[in-house]
Amino acid sequence: MKTAWMILLCVWTFNAYGQEWKETLNQARTLYKKGNYKEALKYYKRAEQIAPNDVDLSQEIGQTAYRANDFGTAAENFERQVNNAETKEKEIRARTSLGESRMKQQDFQSAVDNYKQILRMDPDNEKARQRLVEAKRLLEQQKKQQQNKQDKENNQQNKDKNQNQQNNNQNQQNQQNQQNQQNQQNQQNQQNQQNNSKDKQQNQNQQNQQSQQQKSEQKKLQDKETERKLDEFSKQEMNTKKRLDGSKGTTGGKSARKDW
């Protein structure tokens, strides 16, 4: 009884999922027919997730994604078709769609490789030959644009490098000029200090000379004053001596004339 219920449950679940993915797929196809490719793509992706493993929706998803301008998703699904193709004709059709998706992605090198492969399989495929020519032209144009862009970037880098070098040279020159000015200022300050020191020394010498001259003059004055005082003292001494000598002579005379 338990086994029977498990079987019934599995059957019911399988039928439910089967019914869901089919309804989702039908909704995707309806939206695709209405031209609502972006919404259709969402339903296609959902249907692919819940679809049985043996169901391949890559072709429908690829076409829908291409029309929705989702060229990356389109290229992925067309590449799946290429890998899973069972016949040469299916592979050529898948490669044709893949080449167009690569062209939209501006992956022109991949488009060239893809169209070349188609021509190896079908040398008379005129459409592939024309698209190969166009892909090569766009690839060459792309390479030139990239080269021009690279050249501009290199020129700009060289220009920036030269400008930076000029700025560095100018900065170095400015620094050198500042250093020279600083050196000159230091030399000038040193010279001013030396001059001030020299002037100070000269002033000190002059003051010393003046002081010595003043002392010398003062000494001369003092010597003159001393000489004057000595002269006065000598004169006073001579006068005193004369008075004393005169006084002694008178007394002696009187004594000599005394009558004993």
Side-chain angles (χ1 to χ4, degrees), residues 26-37 39-41 44 60-65 67-68:
N26 290 332
Q27 184 65 28
R29 288 171 176 171
T30 300
L31 290 169
Y32 181 88
K33 290 179 181 179
K34 291 180 179 181
N36 193 349
Y37 303 117
E39 286 297 318
L41 182 60
Y44 270 120
E60 291 184 66
I61 293 175
Q63 293 294 340
T64 305
R67 292 179 180 273

Side-chain angles (χ1 to χ4, degrees), residues 170 172-183:
Q170 185 64 40
Q172 290 179 356
Q173 184 64 39
N174 291 336
Q175 291 177 357
Q176 185 63 40
N177 292 336
Q178 291 178 356
Q179 185 63 39
N180 292 337
Q181 291 178 356
Q182 185 64 38
N183 292 336

Side-chain angles (χ1 to χ4, degrees), residues 126-169:
E126 187 61 27
K127 182 179 178 180
R129 192 181 306 279
Q130 292 176 359
R131 297 304 288 165
L132 176 60
V133 172
E134 180 65 11
K136 284 183 176 180
R137 184 186 69 82
L138 293 174
L139 178 61
E140 188 64 25
Q141 181 179 337
Q142 185 182 62
K143 288 181 177 180
K144 287 182 180 180
Q145 290 175 348
Q146 291 175 347
Q147 185 62 44
N148 290 335
K149 182 179 179 181
Q150 185 63 41
D151 291 341
K152 288 182 179 179
E153 290 178 353
N154 292 336
N155 291 335
Q156 185 63 38
Q157 289 178 355
N158 292 332
K159 184 177 179 180
D160 293 342
K161 183 178 180 180
N162 292 333
Q163 184 64 41
N164 290 334
Q165 185 63 39
Q166 290 179 359
N167 292 337
N168 291 334
N169 293 337

Side-chain angles (χ1 to χ4, degrees), residues 67-78:
R67 292 179 180 273
N69 295 327
D70 187 351
F71 303 113
T73 300
E76 290 176 3
N77 283 273
F78 291 141

